[in-house]
Amino acid sequence: MEESDVCRKLIKLINKNSIRQINIMKVCGTHTRNIFKYCIDKLIDKKINLIAGPGCPVCVTPTSYIDSAIELSRKSGVIIVTFGDMIRVPGSLGSLSMEKAMGGDVHVIFSPLDSLKIAEQNKDKEVVLLGVGFETTAPSIALTIKYAKERELSNFSVLLSLRTMINVMKKLMTYDDVRIDGFICPGHVAAVIGASSFEKLSLISHTPMSICGFKMREILSGILSIEDMINKGEYRCENLYKSVVCDRGSIGTCRSFYYI
């Protein structure tokens, strides 16, 4: 069956099974982007409300963290290294982009390991890596710290703002004014920590969840799975992305995280 035919069939099933208003939160930013790319929110029944979640680590970075980074960039002998998506994020003091324009020593990198090269080339300055992210970026930041220690780089440090997705989702479910009937779990994070972490959260919170890929048919399958569980009064986490996500996650990276 052609991909387009599969998608049409899934949309038909979703709309047929739509019997009441439900709120489904898609946690991952890539899912949100592709839902708009494929116009999924326009093709499915209006009773299914797709809510954007906290999938972008930059978007949930507190103002106080940005202000701390800006204050450090203003210190003599300090080099700030960061990914490009952080440079224009506003704090109460401005942004790193503004500091760079005014002469601040701010470098944009593509890998945390790039910061070590900058530290080796500038032994007379303190190089501060902005370590922002979820489980997907934490391993590479940890590896960078490990290599910095092995190379005895005394002029390298990290300003951390890392979060664990499970705890963010748990927090969201405690708010009385936020009604979430189901979650489309983050595929990339699930690949690191495994499906079992989301399964435990689903059972404890009595909330249907699905882990799915990022193609149109995969996202539609995830929505249909959650809708079906809601209609039947069931809750679990269905792993529909088994080609990438295993039950235990990426062994060697996920064990360092604390989960329920």
Side-chain angles (χ1 to χ4, degrees), residues 15-174:
N15 293 340
K16 181 182 178 181
N17 293 341
S18 181
I19 57 178
R20 66 178 179 88
Q21 186 77 33
I22 61 173
N23 295 322
I24 298 176
M25 177 172 282
K26 67 273 194 205
V27 177
C28 180
T30 306
H31 280 138
T32 298
R33 183 189 66 188
N34 286 355
I35 282 169
F36 284 109
K37 175 183 176 182
Y38 301 127
C39 298
I40 290 173
D41 57 321
K42 303 293 192 302
L43 296 170
I44 61 175
D45 194 284
K46 291 182 179 180
K47 289 193 289 290
I48 302 172
N49 184 26
L50 300 177
I51 307 171
C56 172
V58 175
C59 297
V60 296
T61 299
T63 300
S64 58
Y65 178 86
I66 304 298
D67 289 346
S68 296
I70 289 173
E71 288 176 358
L72 284 172
S73 73
R74 293 175 178 176
K75 291 182 178 292
S76 176
V78 172
I79 298 174
I80 297 293
V81 289
T82 178
F83 292 112
D85 53 4
M86 283 290 295
I87 198 140
R88 290 191 175 88
V89 179
S92 63
L93 303 175
S95 68
L96 289 169
S97 178
M98 293 170 62
E99 295 301 315
K100 183 176 177 64
M102 291 187 291
D105 206 349
V106 180
H107 292 228
V108 174
I109 57 172
F110 297 97
S111 165
L113 295 175
D114 293 339
S115 59
L116 300 185
K117 297 177 184 177
I118 296 172
E120 288 173 333
Q121 295 167 358
N122 297 272
K123 293 290 182 66
D124 59 329
K125 295 184 178 181
E126 179 70 15
V127 175
V128 181
L129 168 66
L130 302 188
V132 175
F134 288 106
E135 293 90 339
T136 45
T137 51
S140 62
I141 293 171
L143 185 65
T144 301
I145 295 172
K146 178 177 182 291
Y147 285 168
K149 182 179 180 181
E150 290 175 355
R151 298 180 191 182
E152 299 182 347
L153 292 174
S154 59
N155 65 323
F156 173 78
S157 56
V158 182
L159 183 64
L160 282 175
S161 182
L162 293 172
R163 288 164 175 75
T164 54
M165 184 58 74
I166 292 290
N167 287 322
V168 171
M169 292 168 67
K170 283 172 63 180
K171 186 67 175 179
L172 281 168
M173 286 185 277
T174 65

Side-chain angles (χ1 to χ4, degrees), residues 224-257:
L224 180 61
S225 169
I226 293 170
E227 181 187 52
D228 186 58
M229 283 187 273
I230 292 172
N231 289 343
K232 293 178 179 178
E234 300 174 349
Y235 47 86
R236 60 184 177 276
C237 180
E238 285 210 39
N239 183 7
L240 307 177
Y241 201 25
K242 291 183 179 179
S243 60
V244 174
V245 178
C246 64
D247 195 49
R248 297 177 63 196
S250 302
I251 304 301
T253 58
C254 63
R255 287 180 177 175
S256 59
F257 298 110

